[in-house]
Amino acid sequence: MQPPLGTDHPAFTLYWASRWVQIFAGALILVGLFTRVAAFILSVNFLVMFPYWYQSGFYWPTTEATGFMLASVVCMYLVTAGAGRWSLDALRAELASHLQPR
């Protein structure tokens, strides 16, 4: 995917904002911190950007757009399943349970 050609193009800001959201949310998912929220934001980003960048209409997806949609489905799985046992979310929950008064 190529960025818009000029900075005066209306999609220029949307393109770079989407890229920064993908980098930041992807980093959060990678370390397992706020995984459900980051995966939801990333999945919505994928679903919004899919018809904008990869499709010139709502036709059958191309090969590169299929991977884009697969990433959205994987992110929605992470929203429902969570990060897992060895994530920072699990460590944070364990520390919070030890700090609660008894």
Side-chain angles (χ1 to χ4, degrees):
M1 176 171 61
Q2 296 295 324
L5 295 176
T7 57
D8 58 341
H9 194 277
F12 184 78
T13 306
L14 182 64
Y15 174 83
W16 289 108
S18 171
R19 289 297 178 213
W20 281 107
V21 165
Q22 290 173 9
I23 290 169
F24 185 69
L28 286 176
I29 290 172
L30 187 66
V31 297
L33 185 62
F34 305 113
T35 304
R36 291 178 190 242
V37 175
F40 181 74
I41 290 170
L42 198 56
S43 179
V44 169
N45 183 17
F46 284 150
L47 289 174
V48 167
M49 295 307 285
F50 169 71
Y52 194 89
W53 289 109
Y54 287 107
Q55 298 296 114
S56 59
F58 289 102
Y59 303 112
W60 189 254
T62 60
T63 304
E64 65 180 7
T66 305
F68 206 65
M69 292 306 290
L70 181 63
S72 177
V73 170
V74 168
C75 284
M76 285 310 282
Y77 170 75
L78 286 175
V79 169
T80 58
R85 183 181 309 174
W86 296 331
S87 66
L88 290 178
D89 283 338
L91 180 66
R92 192 172 47 102
E94 183 180 339
L95 288 175
S97 68
H98 288 304
L99 294 176
Q100 288 181 358
R102 295 180 182 185

